[in-house]
Amino acid sequence: MAFHIAASLFEIIWYHTAALSSVPVAHGIPTVVSIVTSVSGLILVRNLDGGRAQLTRPVYQVGGLGRLMTMPLAYVTGSSDIYRMSIVPAHAFIYARLLVPLVEPVLKSAADAYAFCMVVVAVLGLIDAGQGTFPAKAFVVVIVLVAYLNAWASRRIDSGKANGLGMSLLFFLGLTEVETVKSHRIEWKTWTLERLLPKAATPAF
């Protein structure tokens, strides 16, 4: 967690420091840090049960997966707009630290305050990117779709109907409900290997 926080702050500081003298474009170091931050965030959120997990986890998942796609694209194309779209939404990281303590006394629930603020600060971060309202609207829609995906994948896995590498990938990325991740944590490696290895390669005992 400490590493993830430090990397997120580094991204924000690097971008705004570069913006003082020129229009920032993605370079090697911030691109690598962004990828590491996104991956570490997805790893952390696999077991996140704070707030209302059915809502807060999709927010983090959409943000992490989205930045994994946009940041390398910003590096390859040299687009300052895509770079801004990748980095500036990380302002949500700061907004959350400011907003949660203010909202919690009003809602009288730490879990409700956290869930409410995660959605609000994510939208505010996208608005900061200055690409109009479409990204924020699309983000909300994708959050709902990922929440449905998490629930669907959990039902498949928990019922024993899951099969194929696609489902294994969803489980590995934590794109299921957190209870499913925790209850199948020990067996996921075997579960995945059984689908990677052909039947003939499985030793008989």
Side-chain angles (χ1 to χ4, degrees), residues 147-166:
Y148 274 108
L149 175 64
N150 287 346
W152 173 81
S154 286
R155 288 195 300 271
R156 297 280 296 179
I157 293 171
D158 293 337
S159 65
K161 296 179 180 178
N163 55 67
L165 290 179

Side-chain angles (χ1 to χ4, degrees), residues 192-203:
T192 302
L193 287 174
E194 287 176 350
R195 288 156 175 77
L196 284 173
L197 298 176
K199 295 291 184 181
T202 304

Side-chain angles (χ1 to χ4, degrees), residues 11 31 40 46 71-73 82 91 94 99 116-117 119 131 133 137 142 157 161 165-166 176 187 191:
E11 283 190 88
T31 300
S40 66
R46 287 186 82 239
M71 193 62 185
L73 183 61
I82 298 176
H91 287 174
I94 297 173
L99 191 59
F116 171 79
C117 290
V119 177
Q131 302 297 320
T133 61
K137 294 174 181 176
V142 176
I157 293 171
K161 296 179 180 178
L165 290 179
T176 67
E187 65 194 63
W191 189 66

